[in-house]
Amino acid sequence: MMNNKVQRSVLVVDDEADLRELLVITLGRMNLDAKTAVNVTDAKKMLATNTFSLCLTDMNLPDGSGLELVEHINHKYSNLPVAVITAYGSMETATRAMKAGAFDFIAKPVTLKQVKQLIENGLNISTKTEDTPTPEGLDLIGQSASMDALRQQIKKLARSQAPVYISGESGSGKEKVARLIHAQGARHDQPFVAINCGAIPSELMESEFFGHKKGSFTGAYEDRKGLFRQADGGTLFLDEVADLPLHMQVKLLRAIQEKTVRPVGDSQEYPINVRFLCATHKNLSDEVAAERFRQDLYYRLNVIEAHVPALRDRPEDIETLTQFFLQRLCQQWQISVPKLAGNVLSALQHYAFPGNVRELENILERALTLADSDEIHVEHLQLNANLALASAKPQGRDAQQSLGDYLENIEKEELLKTLEATQWNRTAAAKKLGMTFRSLRYRLKKLGLDTSDDGDDEAEEA
């Protein structure tokens, strides 16, 4: 029976005969048709007269640069994945190529395994359909110009293997952007592993990242693969990467460059095929200038930057987000969606939201709890209380302390300070904090600070 499946074709652009032959042989063994060109001019002619599924180009060509070819392909054949082959140690050139649109690179001298992996990754991008549905719960909410631009950027980044630095304030949705880049990319059916670099104790970090051998240290009762190898074939998201101690930054840089990891207590290195995404609410450039973050790691991770806008910079999205969160919360609680009093949306749109989208969701969850009817009013939002909480400046969070506990302690401190200033007159304290007496009572009970009975409350409120 005749096989009517069309053989996919790959364009190889290299003026070195030995390397060109290696690539052609490798492609043939993978049942791929290989066409070759020795310079930029010939490559452009072949692109104009043939249909390719992938292009592999050397960076140094007789009549120009592979970078010129990458830009040409990105402009005229934007759906064609292209990878570059660079001289050993030429990270600056490789970074420029990926910024120009190359999905990945390999450095000379190349190995057969590297070449095969590069080809497979490129073909996965080539066969990825544009109509792959976004997983439920991952779609970006809002129709502002900045969010539309971010969606378009995510689509482009999904077709690349380049490291991406996702910048933005806390609570703005950086991890969701990372998950979208993964979900829309060629690795969507492979693992997505997220690491909060600020939540792992320094002494356990190497083991968590790279794994360990049984017996390599006290408590190592069995072999452990580590998060890097768990993400093999997929995407590794390094959240709050600026919190990495310097000794781990060195190890991370080596793992990214060599594409291998060595578990603690092991003499063997294990290859990893991982795409790296990272994020932090800090300004990485400032961290580099202050010598708290290595410059070489910064350039390796920040090949392409995706910025998530703060909520206060897109107030036109607040109404859509509010309705989305209310419907989701009410569905979870199995209650009907309340109405919003006429001035609620205006109050939200004029609020600064230091905690961004995450803060909006928390405000609405609290408002649902406080509302005693089917309508939410401005006082249920407790925006003034949130501002007081945001302006508090206690000591920094301990590395062992969760973010939730840290924020709870800030709130306790602010409430106690106000109660002491009013000699524990809760009616006066509520007024000072800009909230209702009932709202203050709710916060005190939730935080375990209220030991009075209901009769005392009624007397004081009266």
Side-chain angles (χ1 to χ4, degrees):
M1 184 175 178
M2 184 176 293
N3 186 357
N4 293 322
K5 188 176 179 180
V6 177
Q7 189 179 33
R8 286 182 290 180
S9 185
V10 178
L11 175 61
V12 176
V13 188
D14 202 306
D15 62 325
E16 291 184 30
D18 290 346
L19 182 54
R20 195 168 61 244
E21 184 179 356
L22 171 65
L23 294 172
V24 170
I25 292 171
T26 303
L27 289 163
R29 288 175 178 170
M30 298 175 72
N31 196 31
L32 297 164
D33 175 43
K35 289 183 168 55
T36 63
V38 297
N39 55 43
V40 175
T41 304
D42 289 349
K44 288 181 178 180
K45 289 177 181 177
M46 299 201 74
L47 286 164
T49 55
N50 296 271
T51 300
F52 295 103
S53 298
L54 176 66
C55 176
L56 304 175
T57 179
D58 191 13
M59 188 56 75
N60 298 313
L61 296 167
D63 61 343
S65 167
L67 187 62
E68 178 188 344
L69 190 58
V70 170
E71 291 171 341
H72 176 76
I73 290 172
N74 193 48
H75 178 66
K76 297 199 70 174
Y77 312 96
S78 58
N79 289 326
L80 175 62
V82 54
V84 297
I85 303 167
T86 71
Y88 178 75
S90 184
M91 276 306 306
E92 183 180 349
T93 305
T95 299
R96 286 173 58 207
M98 286 192 285
K99 286 182 183 289
F103 75 88
D104 209 347
F105 74 95
I106 52 175
K108 297 177 182 179
V110 301
T111 66
L112 188 60
K113 188 171 185 177
Q114 286 177 320
V115 170
K116 288 184 70 175
Q117 188 65 69
L118 188 74
I119 293 168
E120 288 173 1
N121 288 345
L123 292 175
N124 282 339
I125 293 172
S126 182
T127 56
K128 173 78 168 59
T129 58
E130 293 296 327
D131 56 353
T132 300
T134 300
E136 186 177 354
L138 273 189
D139 43 336
L140 296 178
I141 308 299
Q143 299 302 320
S144 59
S146 59
M147 292 305 285
D148 285 341
L150 183 58
R151 286 190 192 90
Q152 292 304 312
Q153 186 179 20
I154 288 171
K155 285 183 180 179
K156 290 183 179 179
L157 295 175
R159 291 183 55 81
S160 171
Q161 297 298 307
V164 178
Y165 164 48
I166 305 169
S167 62
E169 297 178 4
S170 293
S172 58
K174 298 186 292 297
E175 182 170 342
K176 176 176 276 193
V177 169
R179 289 184 180 275
L180 270 170
I181 292 171
H182 171 78
Q184 295 182 12
R187 298 173 182 260
H188 65 91
D189 55 351
Q190 297 298 318
F192 176 92
V193 177
I195 304 174
N196 187 329
C197 299
I200 303 174
S202 178
E203 63 273 15
L204 298 178
M205 200 166 280
E206 186 174 356
S207 171
E208 288 289 319
F209 278 25
F210 308 134
H212 61 250
K213 291 289 287 182
K214 178 181 178 181
S216 57
F217 56 86
T218 302
Y221 300 117
E222 59 183 2
D223 290 352
R224 183 169 183 174
K225 290 178 68 173
L227 296 169
F228 275 52
R229 289 170 68 198
Q230 286 179 26
D232 192 37
T235 302
L236 190 66
F237 174 52
L238 301 167
D239 196 10
E240 298 303 345
V241 70
D243 291 342
L244 279 176
L246 286 170
H247 77 276
M248 277 306 300
Q249 293 179 28
V250 176
K251 294 179 184 294
L252 173 60
L253 178 63
R254 185 181 184 280
I256 294 173
Q257 289 179 336
E258 302 298 327
K259 298 183 180 179
T260 61
V261 296
R262 178 183 294 173
V264 176
D266 201 335
S267 60
Q268 181 179 348
E269 292 196 335
Y270 298 85
I272 52 169
N273 171 29
V274 170
R275 185 183 188 181
F276 290 94
L277 308 177
C278 74
T280 179
H281 71 281
K282 297 179 181 178
N283 186 312
L284 266 189
S285 297
D286 291 346
E287 295 298 299
V288 171
E291 299 185 351
R292 289 188 294 264
F293 200 83
R294 291 180 62 95
Q295 187 175 51
D296 47 6
L297 180 58
Y298 170 75
Y299 287 124
R300 189 65 185 88
L301 290 173
N302 188 21
V303 174
I304 303 171
E305 180 176 350
H307 180 70
V308 186
L311 183 54
R312 63 180 168 276
D313 294 332
R314 51 186 185 104
E316 62 268 43
D317 289 335
I318 288 176
E319 181 175 0
T320 306
L321 283 163
T322 298
Q323 294 300 332
F324 171 79
F325 285 133
L326 284 177
Q327 288 174 8
R328 189 171 73 178
L329 288 166
C330 291
Q331 186 177 14
Q332 290 172 356
W333 296 359
Q334 296 183 338
I335 60 175
S336 58
V337 180
K339 298 176 183 177
L340 299 178
N343 55 349
V344 166
L345 279 176
S346 177
L348 289 171
Q349 288 168 343
H350 287 86
Y351 178 65
F353 284 105
N356 290 290
V357 178
R358 187 185 300 136
E359 184 182 6
L360 173 61
E361 184 176 11
N362 291 340
I363 285 171
L364 294 172
E365 183 175 1
R366 182 174 60 206
L368 271 177
T369 304
L370 295 176
D372 54 4
S373 65
D374 60 353
E375 189 170 57
I376 291 176
H377 295 272
V378 170
E379 58 265 27
H380 298 143
L381 302 176
Q382 296 191 344
L383 298 183
N384 289 336
N386 270 45
L387 283 174
L389 180 61
S391 65
K393 295 181 180 179
Q395 295 297 315
R397 177 171 66 94
D398 187 276
Q400 306 295 328
Q401 187 181 33
S402 73
L403 181 61
D405 289 343
Y406 174 62
L407 293 175
E408 189 174 283
N409 286 340
I410 295 175
E411 187 172 8
K412 280 183 179 179
E413 182 177 323
E414 185 64 28
L415 290 174
L416 289 170
K417 185 169 64 177
T418 305
L419 285 164
E420 288 172 4
T422 58
Q423 298 181 334
W424 283 82
N425 183 319
R426 286 177 293 176
T427 301
K431 186 175 181 180
K432 191 176 180 69
L433 288 168
M435 63 174 72
T436 64
F437 178 87
R438 183 165 168 245
S439 297
L440 175 62
R441 185 178 63 184
Y442 163 78
R443 300 309 301 165
L444 292 174
K445 284 185 176 180
K446 184 177 179 182
L447 295 170
L449 299 175
D450 190 355
T451 57
S452 63
D453 58 33
D454 291 341
D456 291 338
D457 285 338
E458 290 170 5
E460 185 172 345
E461 188 172 12

